[in-house]
Amino acid sequence: MAYDTIKLRSPALNSKLIQMIENQCFFRSGVEMSSGEVRYEIFTGELLGSWDARISVVPKDEEYQINSAGHPVLQRCEPYILVEASVHKVFNGHNVYGGPTDFQKVCSDFVVLLEELLEIELPPANLWTVHRVDVALVYRLSKEACKEFFAGMQLINFPRRKKGAAKYDMAVYFAGKTTTVKFYHKGSEFAVHERSRLKQFFSSLFAHIYGKGDLQNASRVKRKIEALQRLADNRLRGEVEIHSDKFQYDFGKNPLVSEVTDAYLQGVYDKEVEKLLREGKQGMDKVRTTRAVRQRLRQMYGDLNGDRLHGFWTTLATEGDDYTRALYPKASFYRHRKHLEEAGVCWRGTDLVIVANDSALPFDFAPIRSDKRLCYLPARNREEYNVSREQMRIAA
């Protein structure tokens, strides 16, 4: 398990310090960022998405407070700052693998880094409050297996999150008020959002190390990017974004960094993923072998209807969705499929020995912490995969 994006609120700061922060942020974003040679990009806006590698530092002097009528209203308060960033990318350069696993330590490191970049002194991290944490797990799966995983995810029904759901070929996103659950193929995301940024970063790094005129710099950059792309192509990434409302519900307030433990964050991830996938403790055990499927369907729908649904399941498992949809009337297809879902029946990765149903996705895969394909160690101790903090400072 690793932490990605975090959002923290500082204690009250004096106005002179706030002015220094505003001046530093303007300088960084207005001058240094435009040169394209800064590794740590600081700006005073909100992050665009999970792929955004910048550091957001927003000074504020207003907050929502409950009035006498019980409604939240925006009122003036002592000045403070909201900081947000992908600490995984800030400290590793990318989030293909690895990442910080000690929440309180990475928050402390993040605040110390802000002090260094802004050249100011800030309160220690344990006095800051927590407003967002993204908890992430990464799994070793081939690109074809990831495609099959997302094909199966298209069928998942999450009634409480229908309005916030988005499903794509290689990603799914289920937004909610307290948490957001998302899975995506890291290789596809890396190609779109990370390649160009890291190419610029490594170009600056190697130009500093070897000199701008070194003819090998272009090939060094290419090898580095291609190595990370190959690694990303075989990674499925799952994230649970824990919102401020979740912390307020569980703690009665936005907790201090010192009050949020790794065990708590792990528990939230496990619970949200289990609810979504209907697997593990909170869902009905999935069945996918032909005998178990027939028994389950007969128990739930009777012998006659159960056998009919078993025939439908066999066609679905051996011929696939498209063929089965064309074979059955539309209403019957969706009704039968709904019955299979309600019965906890899987039609991918079954024990039916049919060449056309050969699956790249392991039949026992589930994106939970106990799955044996979970990546929890650095990829390899090879130079082309690693980005050290010292190198990142050099490039800046």
Side-chain angles (χ1 to χ4, degrees):
M1 189 184 76
Y3 302 113
D4 200 335
T5 300
I6 64 172
K7 184 176 184 179
L8 306 176
R9 171 178 167 166
S10 75
L13 305 174
N14 63 62
S15 56
K16 183 178 180 181
L17 187 58
I18 291 291
Q19 185 64 48
M20 293 174 62
I21 292 172
E22 289 177 338
N23 292 339
Q24 285 285 348
C25 290
F26 176 78
F27 174 75
R28 293 277 176 161
S29 61
V31 179
E32 293 187 0
M33 277 176 57
S34 63
S35 68
E37 296 181 357
V38 172
R39 171 61 189 89
Y40 299 110
E41 299 180 358
I42 302 176
F43 78 123
T44 56
E46 294 185 358
L47 300 182
L48 298 176
S50 61
W51 63 86
D52 201 331
R54 297 174 296 177
I55 299 174
S56 170
V57 179
V58 183
K60 287 182 173 288
D61 60 1
E62 293 180 320
E63 65 179 359
Y64 281 99
Q65 298 181 6
I66 304 299
N67 62 14
S68 57
H71 301 298
V73 293
L74 199 60
Q75 296 184 353
R76 296 296 293 273
C77 66
E78 293 185 274
Y80 62 93
I81 59 172
L82 283 175
V83 299
E84 185 175 8
S86 167
V87 289
H88 195 158
K89 292 179 181 177
V90 163
F91 292 116
N92 291 75
H94 58 80
N95 64 353
V96 175
Y97 66 88
T101 58
D102 186 323
F103 177 71
Q104 295 181 11
K105 183 179 185 303
V106 76
C107 287
S108 178
D109 291 344
F110 184 38
V111 172
V112 169
L113 176 63
L114 288 173
E115 289 181 313
E116 296 174 1
L117 296 177
L118 299 175
E119 299 176 352
I120 59 174
E121 186 174 347
L122 293 168
N126 62 344
L127 300 178
W128 296 52
T129 54
V130 182
H131 292 253
R132 172 184 169 180
V133 180
D134 286 12
V135 183
L137 294 182
V138 179
Y139 302 89
R140 185 182 65 257
L141 288 175
S142 68
K143 188 173 183 178
E144 288 303 314
C146 289
K147 287 181 180 179
E148 293 185 16
F149 172 79
F150 288 112
M153 290 290 285
Q154 303 297 321
L155 305 177
I156 287 181
N157 182 30
F158 206 168
R160 294 184 179 181
R161 302 200 186 200
K162 277 187 176 180
K163 292 183 179 179
K167 299 178 182 180
Y168 309 98
D169 289 343
M170 295 295 270
V172 290
Y173 180 93
F174 297 93
K177 183 179 180 182
T178 58
T179 61
T180 292
V181 183
K182 48 193 171 185
F183 294 97
Y184 57 92
H185 175 236
K186 184 58 192 176
S188 301
E189 190 266 354
F190 183 89
V192 174
H193 296 294
E194 296 294 315
R195 284 185 69 100
S196 58
R197 178 182 67 84
L198 288 174
K199 181 179 180 181
Q200 182 177 344
F201 163 63
F202 286 127
S203 296
S204 299
L205 173 64
F206 294 141
H208 179 89
I209 295 175
Y210 303 105
K212 292 185 177 180
D214 194 306
L215 299 179
Q216 297 298 316
N217 282 350
S219 62
R220 292 188 181 103
V221 172
K222 183 178 180 181
R223 287 198 303 272
K224 199 85 167 179
I225 298 298
E226 289 182 348
L228 288 171
Q229 182 69 68
R230 288 194 301 272
L231 199 64
D233 283 340
N234 291 290
R235 294 295 182 269
L236 171 71
R237 188 174 178 88
E239 295 182 9
V240 172
E241 180 181 315
I242 307 173
H243 302 163
S244 182
D245 286 341
K246 176 63 174 174
F247 289 115
Q248 292 177 16
Y249 179 81
D250 288 345
F251 291 89
K253 61 175 183 176
N254 283 101
L256 297 173
V257 168
S258 59
E259 296 174 318
V260 179
T261 65
D262 296 321
Y264 165 78
L265 297 170
Q266 289 176 0
V268 173
Y269 180 96
D270 293 343
K271 184 176 180 180
E272 294 301 312
V273 171
E274 285 175 357
K275 284 196 299 185
L276 178 69
L277 301 179
R278 296 179 182 177
E279 295 201 18
K281 298 178 182 178
Q282 298 188 17
M284 180 185 295
D285 291 336
K286 298 289 184 180
V287 292
R288 62 183 85 234
T289 63
T290 184
R291 292 184 179 180
V293 167
R294 181 183 290 110
Q295 183 179 4
R296 173 70 61 79
L297 293 174
R298 283 189 166 196
Q299 287 175 346
M300 290 196 65
Y301 303 111
D303 291 351
L304 182 60
N305 288 330
D307 287 342
R308 288 175 178 172
L309 286 171
H310 185 264
F312 174 79
W313 172 83
T314 302
T315 305
L316 200 58
T318 57
E319 301 289 355
D321 291 19
D322 293 339
Y323 178 85
T324 308
R325 188 181 295 110
L327 190 64
Y328 283 79
K330 182 177 180 180
S332 298
F333 173 82
Y334 287 106
R335 184 175 64 255
H336 293 342
R337 194 178 70 178
K338 183 173 183 293
H339 287 157
L340 296 184
E341 291 176 346
E342 291 174 346
V345 168
C346 293
W347 51 91
R348 290 181 174 81
T350 70
D351 66 342
L352 296 179
V353 184
I354 307 270
V355 175
N357 195 44
D358 188 22
S359 175
L361 182 66
F363 76 93
D364 59 344
F365 172 72
I368 55 179
R369 282 192 294 127
S370 60
D371 191 90
K372 61 186 178 183
R373 285 152 286 264
L374 175 67
C375 300
Y376 57 91
L377 295 174
R380 293 173 201 169
N381 188 22
R382 286 172 51 179
E383 185 274 336
E384 64 264 32
Y385 285 121
N386 296 322
V387 183
S388 69
R389 188 171 179 181
E390 289 71 24
Q391 288 179 324
M392 293 164 65
R393 290 186 184 281
I394 290 172

